[in-house]
Amino acid sequence: MTEHPSAQDFAAIRTGYDDNPSRSLSLRKEAYVEQGWYNVDLQAIIARTWQWVCHVEKVRDPGSYTTIEIAGQPIVIVRDRDGVLRAFYNVCKHRAHELLSGEGNTTRIMCPYHAWVYKLDGNLVRAPHTENLEGFEQKDICLDQVQVEEFCGFVYVNLDPNASSLSAQSGDLETEIRHWAPDIDKLTFGHRLTYDIKSNWKNVVDNFLECYHCPTAHKDFCDLVDMDTYKVTTHGIYSSHMADAGNAPNSAYDVSNASVKTHAVWWLWPNTCLMRYPGRSSMIVLNIIPAGPDRTLETYDFFLETPEPNEAELDAIRYLDEVLQVEDIDICESVQKGMNTPAFQQGRIVNDPDGSGMSEHAVHHFHGLVLDAYKKATPA
């Protein structure tokens, strides 16, 4: 495929997909293995969608900031002195040097290269030794802004200046999350897990979006939740995955004293997963970060009632890290290897019209959104 998909490229990648999941094949393997389609993923999907950054607590105070890279672009998010949350390209207007790194609190944004200084609203206030320049107006220079939004206790950014708000795009998602997690704004960071996976990011999303594999690959998980109550519902740019906590003892972690009795999970297009497992009040955020056609980085951030996980939460973290993730990473890496062989092109979507956990209709929903993005990236 060329740098930009042609109409012929799009027609080929859409082959086998049907709007009806009971008739549809999965997304073709080229979308998972070819550099060209990975480039389209970055530019047509990641750079044009709302990307998760952090819990609002990290940038709650004036002067607090954090940095992130989205589709290869360096971004800084900062709370200005008036309490307004702002995001900018983390690039000095003088010689393009990085302005801030990591996270912290600051009263100004000063470039470490030539000491150009910007206010927290992005306006340039000091540029040393420029008084003799002709046609140079300091007041006319400002950092390039990026869309930023606080949504359900978290911060998201979107590199597309024309994108509508996440709140507008996501329909009833906020109402749904706040129903099941009313204290989400008050939770605090407790722990982070990180992974480097030898698989395309879309394979990781596919695996997350169905529990058809759970009875085979995650026997512990099938005791943790009541699979008979597992229900998957797709909406515009998200899907919800709900189940009751299991009633019998399980080998994952103890939920006998759980105050949260529901397994409530939301996937937000394209690569953010919000999880509220049985136990104490919490929210786990899985951020799936594309890093190459056959490489994905993952972060699991645990937001809890207290900064220190309790004993049950430590068990849950160990279970997720040492059991569930090991199982899922092995699956995704095996699938990626299989897709790089001539033996596979695409597979059948297994669909249950009743939306049970044994169905892959949420995978089909995701593939439809991917193809919609590919179509928009294809010249008419």
Side-chain angles (χ1 to χ4, degrees):
M1 194 190 78
T2 57
E3 185 177 349
H4 300 288
S6 65
Q8 186 176 3
D9 291 327
F10 177 72
I13 204 68
R14 199 187 187 283
T15 302
Y17 179 85
D18 192 286
D19 290 338
N20 182 345
S22 290
R23 292 197 298 258
S24 187
L25 294 174
S26 64
L27 193 59
R28 290 172 68 86
K29 76 170 186 182
E30 289 86 355
Y32 297 83
V33 301
E34 291 185 358
Q35 180 70 45
W37 285 113
Y38 173 74
N39 294 342
V40 177
D41 285 350
L42 290 188
Q43 298 309 314
I45 298 178
I46 305 301
R48 292 187 175 274
T49 52
W50 288 97
Q51 295 291 303
W52 181 85
V53 178
C54 62
H55 192 279
V56 71
E57 71 170 353
K58 186 175 283 189
V59 286
R60 186 169 279 149
D61 299 327
S64 55
Y65 71 88
T66 191
T67 58
I68 193 171
E69 189 172 287
I70 305 290
Q73 305 297 304
I75 306 298
V76 58
I77 300 93
V78 62
R79 182 82 61 181
D80 73 15
R81 290 184 177 182
D82 295 324
V84 178
L85 190 63
R86 300 179 182 274
F88 307 100
Y89 282 93
N90 193 12
V91 176
C92 184
K93 302 299 286 185
H94 176 225
R95 287 288 181 268
H97 197 281
E98 178 186 66
L99 292 165
L100 294 171
S101 60
E103 58 189 60
N105 193 288
T106 186
T107 57
R108 60 182 183 172
I109 301 172
M110 186 175 81
C111 181
Y113 193 11
H114 297 103
W116 281 33
V117 177
Y118 304 83
K119 292 196 295 185
L120 299 183
D121 63 5
N123 288 299
L124 182 68
V125 292
R126 182 174 178 267
H129 309 296
T130 56
E131 59 273 8
N132 296 318
L133 300 186
E134 297 179 11
F136 178 83
E137 293 291 341
Q138 188 171 285
K139 62 181 176 59
D140 294 337
I141 297 175
C142 184
L143 299 177
D144 286 19
Q145 295 205 43
V146 171
Q147 287 208 72
V148 61
E149 185 172 344
E150 295 178 51
F151 181 82
C152 286
F154 294 106
V155 175
Y156 295 80
V157 296
N158 194 323
L159 302 188
D160 182 358
N162 299 314
S164 56
S165 70
L166 178 54
S167 180
Q169 287 188 32
S170 59
D172 294 331
L173 178 59
E174 181 167 10
T175 301
E176 204 172 308
I177 290 176
R178 291 194 181 279
H179 171 76
W180 294 105
D183 59 348
I184 192 168
D185 300 274
K186 299 176 183 177
L187 298 176
T188 189
F189 176 76
H191 193 75
R192 168 173 277 197
L193 298 171
T194 60
Y195 304 94
D196 193 334
I197 305 170
K198 299 181 183 69
S199 185
N200 186 275
W201 72 278
K202 295 187 294 298
N203 268 329
V204 178
V205 174
D206 288 349
N207 180 67
F208 182 87
L209 288 176
E210 50 92 356
C211 218
Y212 181 39
H213 70 283
C214 292
T216 308
H218 303 314
K219 291 181 172 59
D220 299 310
F221 180 81
C222 292
D223 293 330
L224 177 63
V225 302
D226 182 353
M227 291 302 296
D228 290 339
T229 65
Y230 206 112
K231 181 82 171 178
V232 180
T233 310
T234 61
H235 309 268
I237 63 164
Y238 75 96
S239 57
S240 59
H241 306 245
M242 302 289 178
D244 294 336
N247 295 316
N250 70 80
S251 53
Y253 64 93
D254 183 17
V255 294
S256 59
N257 295 316
S259 56
V260 174
K261 301 287 189 181
T262 303
H263 171 78
V265 172
W266 299 270
W267 167 78
L268 173 61
W269 161 258
N271 57 332
T272 303
C273 308
L274 307 168
M275 298 173 276
R276 191 167 170 88
Y277 278 15
R280 199 166 59 146
S281 181
S282 67
M283 187 65 75
I284 308 168
V285 181
L286 164 58
N287 194 23
I288 299 169
I289 306 164
D294 57 359
R295 186 182 179 210
T296 300
L297 304 178
E298 278 188 343
T299 59
Y300 272 85
D301 286 315
F302 294 76
F303 298 94
L304 312 171
E305 291 182 15
T306 57
E308 294 298 325
N310 64 20
E311 187 174 346
E313 287 162 347
L314 288 172
D315 286 341
I317 291 168
R318 278 194 292 269
Y319 163 67
L320 200 154
D321 184 36
E322 298 174 9
V323 179
L324 196 60
Q325 273 298 93
V326 172
E327 294 166 345
D328 275 333
I329 290 171
D330 284 347
I331 288 168
C332 293
E333 293 185 344
S334 178
V335 168
Q336 189 71 25
K337 284 183 180 179
M339 285 184 167
N340 275 291
T341 71
F344 182 82
Q345 186 60 59
Q346 60 192 141
R348 190 64 187 250
I349 293 291
V350 175
N351 182 52
D352 174 6
D354 291 331
S356 75
M358 296 295 101
S359 178
E360 296 177 319
H361 61 286
V363 177
H364 174 265
H365 172 240
F366 169 51
H367 291 178
L369 291 170
V370 169
L371 289 171
D372 286 347
Y374 286 177
K375 185 177 183 179
K376 289 177 183 176
T378 303

